[in-house]
Amino acid sequence: MKIKIFNKTTKIASASMLVASCLFAGAAMAKDSVKVGVVSFLTGPAAGVFGVPAKQGAQIVIDAINNGTMPAPYNTQGFAGAKMNPVFSDESGGGTKQVGLFRDFVEKQKVDAMIGYISSGNCMAIGPIADELKMLTVFSTCGTPRLYEEKLRSHVFRTQANAVGDSLAAARYIVDMYPNEKNYTGINQNYAWGQDSYKFFELGMKQMSPDSKGSDKPQFPKLFVGQYGTEISALSLDKAKVVHSSFWNGDIEAFTLQAMVRGFFQKKIFVSSVGGSAVDALGKKFPDGIVMGTRGNVGLLARDNKDSLNLWFIGEYKKRFNALPLGPSYQYARSILAYKFAMDKAMKKAGKFPTQDQVIAAMKNIKFKSFTETISMARGGGHQAVHSVGYGLTKYNKKGKTPGAEKVKMYGPECIYPPAGTKSEDWINAGMPGAKCN
Protein backbone atom coordinates (compact mmCIF):
# COMPACT_ATOMS: atom_id res chain seq x y z
CA MET A 1 0.00 0.00 0.00
CA LYS A 2 2.77 2.37 0.96
CA ILE A 3 4.67 1.38 -2.12
CA LYS A 4 1.67 2.18 -4.34
CA ILE A 5 1.24 5.57 -2.70
CA PHE A 6 4.97 6.25 -3.16
CA ASN A 7 4.80 5.26 -6.83
CA LYS A 8 1.72 7.39 -7.38
CA THR A 9 3.39 10.36 -5.74
CA THR A 10 6.54 9.75 -7.72
CA LYS A 11 4.57 9.66 -10.93
CA ILE A 12 2.85 12.94 -10.06
CA ALA A 13 6.17 14.54 -9.19
CA SER A 14 7.70 13.25 -12.42
CA ALA A 15 4.77 14.58 -14.42
CA SER A 16 5.10 17.95 -12.71
CA MET A 17 8.80 18.05 -13.49
CA LEU A 18 8.09 17.16 -17.12
CA VAL A 19 5.54 19.99 -17.44
CA ALA A 20 7.94 22.44 -15.84
CA SER A 21 10.71 21.25 -18.14
CA CYS A 22 8.51 21.74 -21.20
CA LEU A 23 7.48 25.21 -20.04
CA PHE A 24 11.13 26.13 -19.47
CA ALA A 25 12.12 24.80 -22.89
CA GLY A 26 9.29 26.74 -24.51
CA ALA A 27 10.47 29.92 -22.82
CA ALA A 28 14.02 29.27 -23.99
CA MET A 29 12.84 29.16 -27.59
CA ALA A 30 12.08 32.86 -27.56
CA LYS A 31 14.42 35.67 -26.52
CA ASP A 32 13.63 39.23 -25.60
CA SER A 33 17.12 40.39 -26.54
CA VAL A 34 20.36 39.36 -28.19
CA LYS A 35 23.70 40.53 -26.87
CA VAL A 36 26.12 41.49 -29.63
CA GLY A 37 29.67 42.80 -29.41
CA VAL A 38 30.25 45.67 -31.87
CA VAL A 39 33.93 46.52 -32.35
CA SER A 40 35.39 49.63 -34.00
CA PHE A 41 38.14 52.15 -33.35
CA LEU A 42 36.89 54.39 -30.53
CA THR A 43 40.28 55.86 -29.61
CA GLY A 44 43.49 56.60 -31.49
CA PRO A 45 44.15 58.00 -34.97
CA ALA A 46 41.55 55.81 -36.70
CA ALA A 47 38.67 56.78 -34.43
CA GLY A 48 37.55 60.19 -35.68
CA VAL A 49 37.21 59.45 -39.37
CA PHE A 50 36.57 55.71 -39.31
CA GLY A 51 35.72 54.12 -35.99
CA VAL A 52 33.30 56.68 -34.59
CA PRO A 53 31.33 57.18 -37.85
CA ALA A 54 31.20 53.37 -38.12
CA LYS A 55 29.74 53.07 -34.63
CA GLN A 56 27.26 55.85 -35.39
CA GLY A 57 26.05 54.11 -38.54
CA ALA A 58 25.56 50.86 -36.65
CA GLN A 59 23.76 52.60 -33.79
CA ILE A 60 21.23 54.31 -36.08
CA VAL A 61 20.23 51.02 -37.69
CA ILE A 62 20.23 49.04 -34.43
CA ASP A 63 17.94 51.60 -32.78
CA ALA A 64 15.59 51.72 -35.77
CA ILE A 65 15.31 47.93 -35.96
CA ASN A 66 14.81 47.65 -32.20
CA ASN A 67 12.02 50.22 -32.39
CA GLY A 68 10.49 48.91 -35.61
CA THR A 69 10.96 52.27 -37.39
CA MET A 70 13.23 51.15 -40.23
CA PRO A 71 11.86 51.41 -43.78
CA ALA A 72 11.03 48.31 -45.80
CA PRO A 73 12.27 45.68 -46.25
CA TYR A 74 13.58 45.94 -42.66
CA ASN A 75 10.39 47.33 -41.11
CA THR A 76 9.69 44.41 -38.77
CA GLN A 77 10.77 44.95 -35.19
CA GLY A 78 13.84 43.25 -33.82
CA PHE A 79 16.24 40.54 -34.86
CA ALA A 80 14.05 37.45 -35.10
CA GLY A 81 11.81 39.51 -32.84
CA ALA A 82 14.51 40.16 -30.23
CA LYS A 83 15.98 43.56 -29.51
CA MET A 84 19.73 43.92 -29.89
CA ASN A 85 21.75 44.90 -26.86
CA PRO A 86 25.00 46.15 -28.46
CA VAL A 87 28.17 46.19 -26.39
CA PHE A 88 30.57 48.59 -28.10
CA SER A 89 34.28 47.89 -27.83
CA ASP A 90 37.46 49.67 -28.92
CA GLU A 91 39.44 48.05 -31.74
CA SER A 92 42.67 49.89 -30.86
CA GLY A 93 45.67 48.01 -29.52
CA GLY A 94 46.51 45.46 -32.22
CA GLY A 95 45.65 41.87 -33.02
CA THR A 96 46.88 40.21 -29.82
CA LYS A 97 44.79 42.53 -27.65
CA GLN A 98 41.74 42.08 -29.87
CA VAL A 99 41.98 38.29 -29.70
CA GLY A 100 41.97 38.52 -25.90
CA LEU A 101 38.95 40.83 -25.93
CA PHE A 102 37.16 38.53 -28.39
CA ARG A 103 37.67 35.57 -26.06
CA ASP A 104 36.28 37.63 -23.19
CA PHE A 105 33.18 38.52 -25.22
CA VAL A 106 32.54 34.88 -26.03
CA GLU A 107 33.58 33.05 -22.87
CA LYS A 108 32.68 35.56 -20.14
CA GLN A 109 30.15 37.99 -21.59
CA LYS A 110 28.33 35.21 -23.47
CA VAL A 111 27.46 37.25 -26.54
CA ASP A 112 25.19 35.89 -29.25
CA ALA A 113 27.29 37.32 -32.10
CA MET A 114 30.19 39.66 -32.90
CA ILE A 115 30.03 42.43 -35.50
CA GLY A 116 32.59 44.95 -36.72
CA TYR A 117 36.37 45.28 -37.20
CA ILE A 118 38.00 47.77 -39.54
CA SER A 119 41.65 46.70 -39.64
CA SER A 120 42.69 43.91 -42.00
CA GLY A 121 45.33 42.83 -39.50
CA ASN A 122 42.71 42.46 -36.77
CA CYS A 123 40.41 40.48 -39.04
CA MET A 124 43.19 38.08 -39.92
CA ALA A 125 43.86 37.59 -36.19
CA ILE A 126 40.20 37.21 -35.21
CA GLY A 127 39.09 34.92 -38.08
CA PRO A 128 40.69 31.68 -36.82
CA ILE A 129 39.65 32.39 -33.21
CA ALA A 130 36.02 32.95 -34.23
CA ASP A 131 35.99 29.58 -35.94
CA GLU A 132 37.75 27.92 -33.00
CA LEU A 133 35.27 29.32 -30.46
CA LYS A 134 32.36 28.73 -32.86
CA MET A 135 31.10 32.29 -32.62
CA LEU A 136 29.09 33.89 -35.43
CA THR A 137 31.16 36.90 -36.48
CA VAL A 138 30.28 39.46 -39.13
CA PHE A 139 33.20 41.57 -40.35
CA SER A 140 32.04 45.01 -41.46
CA THR A 141 34.99 46.66 -43.20
CA CYS A 142 38.43 45.01 -43.36
CA GLY A 143 39.59 44.37 -46.91
CA THR A 144 42.39 41.85 -47.23
CA PRO A 145 41.54 39.08 -49.75
CA ARG A 146 43.63 36.65 -47.72
CA LEU A 147 40.79 36.19 -45.23
CA TYR A 148 38.98 33.67 -47.46
CA GLU A 149 41.52 32.90 -50.16
CA GLU A 150 43.89 31.30 -47.68
CA LYS A 151 41.16 29.32 -45.94
CA LEU A 152 37.38 29.15 -45.95
CA ARG A 153 35.71 30.12 -42.67
CA SER A 154 32.93 28.31 -40.83
CA HIS A 155 31.66 31.06 -38.52
CA VAL A 156 32.97 34.26 -40.13
CA PHE A 157 31.13 36.40 -42.71
CA ARG A 158 32.23 39.66 -44.33
CA THR A 159 29.60 42.01 -45.72
CA GLN A 160 32.21 44.30 -47.30
CA ALA A 161 33.94 43.19 -50.49
CA ASN A 162 37.70 42.79 -50.42
CA ALA A 163 40.55 44.97 -51.65
CA VAL A 164 40.77 43.24 -55.02
CA GLY A 165 37.66 44.98 -56.32
CA ASP A 166 38.81 48.35 -54.95
CA SER A 167 42.17 48.04 -56.68
CA LEU A 168 40.87 46.69 -59.99
CA ALA A 169 38.16 49.36 -60.15
CA ALA A 170 40.85 51.99 -59.54
CA ALA A 171 42.93 50.57 -62.38
CA ARG A 172 39.91 50.46 -64.71
CA TYR A 173 39.06 54.06 -63.90
CA ILE A 174 42.60 55.18 -64.77
CA VAL A 175 42.57 53.22 -68.03
CA ASP A 176 39.10 54.57 -68.89
CA MET A 177 39.70 58.20 -67.94
CA TYR A 178 43.45 58.62 -68.50
CA PRO A 179 44.33 56.18 -71.30
CA ASN A 180 47.54 57.99 -72.23
CA GLU A 181 49.11 57.69 -68.78
CA LYS A 182 51.44 54.72 -68.83
CA ASN A 183 53.52 55.12 -65.66
CA TYR A 184 52.27 54.60 -62.13
CA THR A 185 53.52 54.27 -58.58
CA GLY A 186 51.99 54.25 -55.13
CA ILE A 187 52.13 55.18 -51.47
CA ASN A 188 50.48 52.62 -49.20
CA GLN A 189 50.73 51.61 -45.57
CA ASN A 190 53.16 48.80 -44.88
CA TYR A 191 50.81 46.05 -43.70
CA ALA A 192 48.28 43.62 -45.20
CA TRP A 193 45.74 46.19 -46.42
CA GLY A 194 48.29 48.52 -48.03
CA GLN A 195 50.41 45.78 -49.54
CA ASP A 196 47.42 43.93 -51.00
CA SER A 197 45.84 47.13 -52.32
CA TYR A 198 48.88 48.18 -54.32
CA LYS A 199 49.67 44.64 -55.43
CA PHE A 200 46.27 44.20 -57.07
CA PHE A 201 46.28 47.71 -58.53
CA GLU A 202 49.62 46.91 -60.19
CA LEU A 203 48.42 43.50 -61.42
CA GLY A 204 45.30 45.13 -62.82
CA MET A 205 47.25 47.83 -64.64
CA LYS A 206 49.50 45.21 -66.23
CA GLN A 207 46.47 43.41 -67.64
CA MET A 208 44.33 46.39 -68.63
CA SER A 209 47.19 48.50 -69.97
CA PRO A 210 49.94 46.07 -71.02
CA ASP A 211 52.30 48.83 -72.13
CA SER A 212 52.09 50.61 -68.76
CA LYS A 213 54.91 50.33 -66.25
CA GLY A 214 55.05 50.49 -62.48
CA SER A 215 57.72 52.38 -60.59
CA ASP A 216 60.70 50.59 -59.09
CA LYS A 217 60.23 52.59 -55.88
CA PRO A 218 56.64 52.59 -54.62
CA GLN A 219 56.46 53.95 -51.07
CA PHE A 220 55.39 51.84 -48.07
CA PRO A 221 55.61 53.92 -44.87
CA LYS A 222 54.67 52.51 -41.49
CA LEU A 223 51.03 52.50 -40.43
CA PHE A 224 49.90 55.77 -38.79
CA VAL A 225 53.35 57.38 -39.06
CA GLY A 226 51.74 60.73 -39.91
CA GLN A 227 54.74 62.48 -41.51
CA TYR A 228 55.35 62.00 -45.25
CA GLY A 229 57.87 64.61 -46.33
CA THR A 230 60.42 62.03 -47.50
CA GLU A 231 57.82 60.00 -49.40
CA ILE A 232 56.31 63.09 -51.04
CA SER A 233 59.77 64.12 -52.26
CA ALA A 234 60.41 60.64 -53.68
CA LEU A 235 57.04 60.52 -55.43
CA SER A 236 57.52 64.02 -56.83
CA LEU A 237 60.81 63.00 -58.40
CA ASP A 238 59.39 59.76 -59.80
CA LYS A 239 58.47 60.04 -63.49
CA ALA A 240 55.21 58.16 -62.84
CA LYS A 241 52.29 60.57 -62.97
CA VAL A 242 49.64 58.22 -61.55
CA VAL A 243 50.01 57.66 -57.78
CA HIS A 244 47.85 55.00 -56.10
CA SER A 245 47.13 55.11 -52.38
CA SER A 246 45.01 53.06 -49.98
CA PHE A 247 45.74 55.42 -47.06
CA TRP A 248 42.86 55.68 -44.60
CA ASN A 249 42.04 57.37 -41.29
CA GLY A 250 44.23 60.33 -40.29
CA ASP A 251 46.99 59.23 -42.67
CA ILE A 252 45.07 60.33 -45.77
CA GLU A 253 44.31 63.70 -44.17
CA ALA A 254 47.93 64.23 -43.12
CA PHE A 255 49.27 63.22 -46.52
CA THR A 256 46.79 65.46 -48.35
CA LEU A 257 47.66 68.54 -46.30
CA GLN A 258 51.41 67.94 -46.52
CA ALA A 259 51.34 67.21 -50.26
CA MET A 260 48.99 70.06 -51.09
CA VAL A 261 51.34 72.81 -49.86
CA ARG A 262 54.03 71.41 -52.15
CA GLY A 263 51.84 71.52 -55.27
CA PHE A 264 51.86 67.73 -55.48
CA PHE A 265 48.30 67.36 -56.79
CA GLN A 266 48.91 69.76 -59.67
CA LYS A 267 51.68 67.48 -60.93
CA LYS A 268 50.22 64.04 -60.25
CA ILE A 269 47.03 62.06 -60.78
CA PHE A 270 46.35 60.89 -57.25
CA VAL A 271 44.14 57.80 -56.87
CA SER A 272 42.70 57.22 -53.40
CA SER A 273 40.86 53.94 -52.90
CA VAL A 274 39.44 54.72 -49.47
CA GLY A 275 40.06 58.40 -48.72
CA GLY A 276 36.46 59.61 -48.76
CA SER A 277 36.54 60.37 -45.05
CA ALA A 278 39.26 62.98 -45.62
CA VAL A 279 37.13 64.71 -48.24
CA ASP A 280 34.42 65.27 -45.64
CA ALA A 281 36.83 66.06 -42.82
CA LEU A 282 38.77 68.69 -44.79
CA GLY A 283 35.75 70.05 -46.66
CA LYS A 284 36.63 72.90 -49.00
CA LYS A 285 40.31 72.47 -48.12
CA PHE A 286 40.38 69.12 -49.91
CA PRO A 287 41.68 69.55 -53.48
CA ASP A 288 39.39 69.05 -56.46
CA GLY A 289 40.28 66.51 -59.14
CA ILE A 290 41.45 63.65 -56.89
CA VAL A 291 40.39 60.21 -58.15
CA MET A 292 38.38 59.04 -55.16
CA GLY A 293 36.87 55.69 -54.21
CA THR A 294 34.77 54.73 -51.20
CA ARG A 295 35.00 50.89 -51.29
CA GLY A 296 31.58 50.63 -52.89
CA ASN A 297 28.59 52.78 -53.72
CA VAL A 298 28.65 54.42 -50.29
CA GLY A 299 29.68 57.60 -48.52
CA LEU A 300 30.75 60.39 -50.83
CA LEU A 301 29.67 58.51 -53.96
CA ALA A 302 26.21 57.71 -52.56
CA ARG A 303 25.12 61.28 -51.84
CA ASP A 304 23.03 61.54 -55.00
CA ASN A 305 21.51 58.05 -54.81
CA LYS A 306 17.72 58.37 -54.49
CA ASP A 307 16.97 54.91 -53.09
CA SER A 308 14.44 55.36 -50.27
CA LEU A 309 16.58 53.37 -47.82
CA ASN A 310 19.59 55.54 -48.63
CA LEU A 311 17.61 58.78 -48.27
CA TRP A 312 16.33 57.56 -44.90
CA PHE A 313 19.84 56.72 -43.72
CA ILE A 314 21.31 60.06 -44.79
CA GLY A 315 18.40 61.93 -43.22
CA GLU A 316 18.59 60.06 -39.91
CA TYR A 317 22.36 60.42 -39.73
CA LYS A 318 22.23 64.17 -40.37
CA LYS A 319 19.42 64.61 -37.84
CA ARG A 320 21.24 62.71 -35.12
CA PHE A 321 24.88 63.65 -35.70
CA ASN A 322 24.69 66.85 -37.77
CA ALA A 323 26.94 65.27 -40.39
CA LEU A 324 26.78 63.14 -43.51
CA PRO A 325 27.42 59.38 -43.21
CA LEU A 326 30.87 58.28 -44.34
CA GLY A 327 31.92 55.01 -45.96
CA PRO A 328 32.43 53.23 -42.61
CA SER A 329 28.99 54.43 -41.46
CA TYR A 330 27.46 52.56 -44.39
CA GLN A 331 29.69 49.52 -43.93
CA TYR A 332 28.76 48.97 -40.29
CA ALA A 333 25.10 49.74 -40.89
CA ARG A 334 25.14 47.20 -43.74
CA SER A 335 26.51 44.45 -41.49
CA ILE A 336 23.65 45.07 -39.06
CA LEU A 337 21.17 44.71 -41.93
CA ALA A 338 22.76 41.40 -42.94
CA TYR A 339 22.49 40.09 -39.37
CA LYS A 340 18.80 41.03 -39.18
CA PHE A 341 18.13 39.50 -42.60
CA ALA A 342 19.74 36.21 -41.55
CA MET A 343 18.08 36.14 -38.12
CA ASP A 344 14.62 36.73 -39.58
CA LYS A 345 15.19 34.22 -42.37
CA ALA A 346 16.38 31.58 -39.90
CA MET A 347 13.40 32.14 -37.59
CA LYS A 348 10.96 31.85 -40.47
CA LYS A 349 12.47 28.54 -41.54
CA ALA A 350 12.78 27.10 -38.03
CA GLY A 351 9.38 28.30 -36.86
CA LYS A 352 10.94 29.48 -33.60
CA PHE A 353 13.81 31.59 -32.32
CA PRO A 354 16.84 30.32 -34.27
CA THR A 355 19.99 28.74 -32.97
CA GLN A 356 23.36 30.13 -34.02
CA ASP A 357 23.86 27.25 -36.44
CA GLN A 358 20.52 28.04 -38.06
CA VAL A 359 21.49 31.72 -38.43
CA ILE A 360 24.82 30.75 -40.00
CA ALA A 361 23.05 28.47 -42.45
CA ALA A 362 20.60 31.25 -43.27
CA MET A 363 23.35 33.81 -43.88
CA LYS A 364 25.30 31.68 -46.37
CA ASN A 365 24.86 32.84 -49.97
CA ILE A 366 22.20 35.43 -49.09
CA LYS A 367 21.35 38.42 -51.24
CA PHE A 368 20.14 41.31 -49.13
CA LYS A 369 19.16 44.86 -49.90
CA SER A 370 21.57 47.50 -48.69
CA PHE A 371 21.24 51.27 -48.97
CA THR A 372 22.16 51.66 -52.64
CA GLU A 373 22.20 48.14 -54.09
CA THR A 374 21.75 44.45 -53.41
CA ILE A 375 24.70 42.78 -51.71
CA SER A 376 25.48 39.15 -52.60
CA MET A 377 27.35 36.81 -50.26
CA ALA A 378 28.63 35.05 -53.34
CA ARG A 379 32.27 34.26 -52.57
CA GLY A 380 34.23 32.54 -49.82
CA GLY A 381 31.83 29.60 -49.76
CA GLY A 382 28.90 31.97 -49.32
CA HIS A 383 30.58 33.96 -46.55
CA GLN A 384 32.10 36.83 -48.56
CA ALA A 385 30.17 39.74 -50.10
CA VAL A 386 30.61 41.23 -53.55
CA HIS A 387 29.16 44.52 -54.74
CA SER A 388 29.89 47.37 -57.13
CA VAL A 389 32.82 49.72 -56.58
CA GLY A 390 32.90 53.28 -57.86
CA TYR A 391 35.39 56.08 -58.46
CA GLY A 392 34.94 59.73 -59.31
CA LEU A 393 36.76 63.05 -59.23
CA THR A 394 36.42 65.15 -56.10
CA LYS A 395 34.56 68.42 -56.63
CA TYR A 396 33.52 70.72 -53.81
CA ASN A 397 29.97 72.01 -54.16
CA LYS A 398 30.36 75.68 -53.29
CA LYS A 399 26.65 76.39 -53.57
CA GLY A 400 25.64 73.53 -51.30
CA LYS A 401 28.82 73.84 -49.22
CA THR A 402 29.28 70.08 -49.28
CA PRO A 403 31.96 67.75 -50.67
CA GLY A 404 30.98 65.96 -53.83
CA ALA A 405 32.21 64.00 -56.83
CA GLU A 406 31.84 64.21 -60.58
CA LYS A 407 32.55 61.87 -63.50
CA VAL A 408 31.62 58.90 -61.31
CA LYS A 409 31.89 55.43 -62.80
CA MET A 410 30.59 52.27 -61.12
CA TYR A 411 32.08 48.86 -61.83
CA GLY A 412 29.88 45.83 -61.12
CA PRO A 413 30.95 42.68 -59.24
CA GLU A 414 31.26 40.64 -62.46
CA CYS A 415 33.87 43.15 -63.67
CA ILE A 416 36.18 43.33 -60.66
CA TYR A 417 35.99 40.01 -58.76
CA PRO A 418 37.05 36.52 -59.83
CA PRO A 419 34.49 33.72 -60.11
CA ALA A 420 33.72 31.80 -56.93
CA GLY A 421 36.46 29.36 -56.00
CA THR A 422 39.15 31.17 -58.02
CA LYS A 423 42.03 32.97 -56.36
CA SER A 424 42.23 36.63 -57.30
CA GLU A 425 45.86 36.66 -58.33
CA ASP A 426 45.46 33.59 -60.53
CA TRP A 427 42.40 35.11 -62.20
CA ILE A 428 44.08 38.42 -62.91
CA ASN A 429 47.26 36.82 -64.23
CA ALA A 430 45.13 34.66 -66.55
CA GLY A 431 43.70 37.83 -68.08
CA MET A 432 40.51 38.03 -65.95
CA PRO A 433 38.53 35.53 -68.07
CA GLY A 434 34.79 36.09 -68.02
CA ALA A 435 35.00 39.65 -66.69
CA LYS A 436 32.03 41.77 -67.82
CA CYS A 437 32.61 45.48 -67.52
CA ASN A 438 30.02 47.09 -69.77
Side-chain angles (χ1 to χ4, degrees):
M1 192 70 177
K2 288 182 179 179
I3 294 174
K4 288 182 180 179
I5 293 171
F6 179 80
N7 286 343
K8 184 177 180 181
T9 304
T10 303
K11 288 178 181 179
I12 292 171
S14 298
S16 298
M17 290 175 64
L18 180 61
V19 170
S21 177
C22 290
L23 288 172
F24 178 82
M29 281 192 253
K31 293 184 71 171
D32 292 329
S33 66
V34 287
K35 187 177 183 180
V36 178
V38 182
V39 186
S40 71
F41 286 103
L42 303 180
T43 62
V49 294
F50 261 77
V52 172
K55 176 189 174 184
Q56 291 171 340
Q59 189 70 69
I60 283 177
V61 175
I62 291 169
D63 290 348
I65 293 172
N66 281 346
N67 295 327
T69 57
M70 227 81 185
Y74 301 102
N75 51 336
T76 57
Q77 188 173 21
F79 300 78
K83 290 190 175 183
M84 182 188 291
N85 173 24
V87 182
F88 291 99
S89 180
D90 190 357
E91 191 177 342
S92 298
T96 301
K97 178 182 177 181
Q98 290 306 313
V99 167
L101 290 173
F102 188 94
R103 286 188 179 278
D104 182 81
F105 265 113
V106 176
E107 297 173 345
K108 294 182 180 180
Q109 299 195 51
K110 305 296 183 182
V111 295
D112 295 286
M114 293 292 292
I115 294 177
Y117 297 99
I118 292 171
S119 165
S120 290
N122 287 340
C123 284
M124 289 301 294
I126 293 296
I129 302 302
D131 286 348
E132 174 193 325
L133 299 181
K134 301 186 184 305
M135 173 51 57
L136 170 59
T137 301
V138 184
F139 288 152
S140 304
T141 298
C142 59
T144 176
R146 292 167 51 204
L147 182 66
Y148 291 100
E149 292 197 356
E150 290 183 357
K151 182 180 179 180
L152 295 180
R153 307 289 173 184
S154 60
H155 285 67
V156 178
F157 294 82
R158 180 165 57 186
T159 52
Q160 170 68 41
N162 65 38
V164 173
D166 304 311
S167 297
L168 293 184
R172 289 203 179 276
Y173 192 87
I174 291 299
V175 172
D176 288 346
M177 302 297 287
Y178 305 97
N180 296 324
E181 297 300 335
K182 301 299 181 183
N183 295 295
Y184 57 89
T185 186
I187 177 166
N188 294 273
Q189 295 152 324
N190 193 18
Y191 80 121
W193 163 252
Q195 293 161 357
D196 289 342
S197 293
Y198 186 69
K199 170 185 175 180
F200 287 106
F201 174 77
E202 186 170 34
L203 289 173
M205 287 296 295
K206 288 178 179 178
Q207 289 294 334
M208 299 173 213
S209 180
D211 54 345
S212 65
K213 184 179 180 182
S215 170
D216 293 332
K217 297 180 179 179
Q219 302 297 305
F220 287 96
K222 291 181 180 179
L223 182 66
F224 302 155
V225 70
Q227 295 295 324
Y228 303 104
T230 301
E231 288 82 5
I232 292 169
S233 295
L235 293 170
S236 298
L237 293 172
D238 197 309
K239 68 177 182 179
K241 189 170 182 179
V242 174
V243 181
H244 169 274
S245 180
S246 60
F247 271 16
W248 59 287
N249 69 68
D251 281 2
I252 183 62
E253 291 182 43
F255 178 85
T256 300
L257 292 171
Q258 292 166 34
M260 193 163 50
V261 297
R262 297 175 62 172
F264 181 83
F265 299 114
Q266 282 73 48
K267 304 170 189 174
K268 303 291 183 177
I269 298 170
F270 189 68
V271 187
S272 174
S273 65
V274 66
S277 61
V279 183
D280 283 274
L282 298 179
K284 62 182 180 181
K285 293 181 182 179
F286 197 91
D288 288 345
I290 303 299
V291 178
M292 184 59 63
T294 58
R295 301 205 65 209
N297 186 5
V298 297
L300 181 73
L301 301 185
R303 303 274 160 84
D304 295 328
N305 187 290
K306 303 302 182 185
D307 187 288
S308 59
L309 201 59
N310 187 51
L311 294 176
W312 172 86
F313 187 60
I314 292 174
E316 289 297 308
Y317 199 97
K318 288 173 67 176
K319 185 193 308 180
R320 188 157 171 178
F321 301 112
N322 194 31
L324 290 165
L326 305 182
S329 311
Y330 279 90
Q331 291 157 3
Y332 269 59
R334 177 198 294 155
S335 61
I336 303 297
L337 296 183
Y339 181 62
K340 174 177 172 56
F341 187 96
M343 287 283 286
D344 291 355
K345 178 184 175 184
M347 183 178 69
K348 184 177 180 180
K349 183 175 181 179
K352 59 183 180 179
F353 194 85
T355 65
Q356 178 182 250
D357 287 347
Q358 288 169 335
V359 177
I360 287 173
M363 189 173 283
K364 287 182 69 172
N365 296 300
I366 61 170
K367 293 183 178 181
F368 66 99
K369 188 180 186 323
S370 187
F371 300 98
T372 58
E373 64 182 308
T374 296
I375 307 297
S376 298
M377 304 297 289
R379 302 293 187 274
H383 289 237
Q384 169 65 64
V386 292
H387 51 70
S388 65
V389 173
Y391 281 84
L393 299 179
T394 56
K395 180 69 175 178
Y396 188 75
N397 185 334
K398 294 181 181 179
K399 184 177 180 180
K401 296 183 179 179
T402 56
E406 59 183 8
K407 299 181 180 179
V408 175
K409 293 178 72 70
M410 287 287 168
Y411 299 95
E414 63 280 359
C415 174
I416 53 177
Y417 299 108
T422 304
K423 288 190 174 182
S424 300
E425 189 168 353
D426 294 342
W427 179 66
I428 298 170
N429 287 334
M432 294 176 283
K436 300 175 181 178
C437 298
N438 295 330

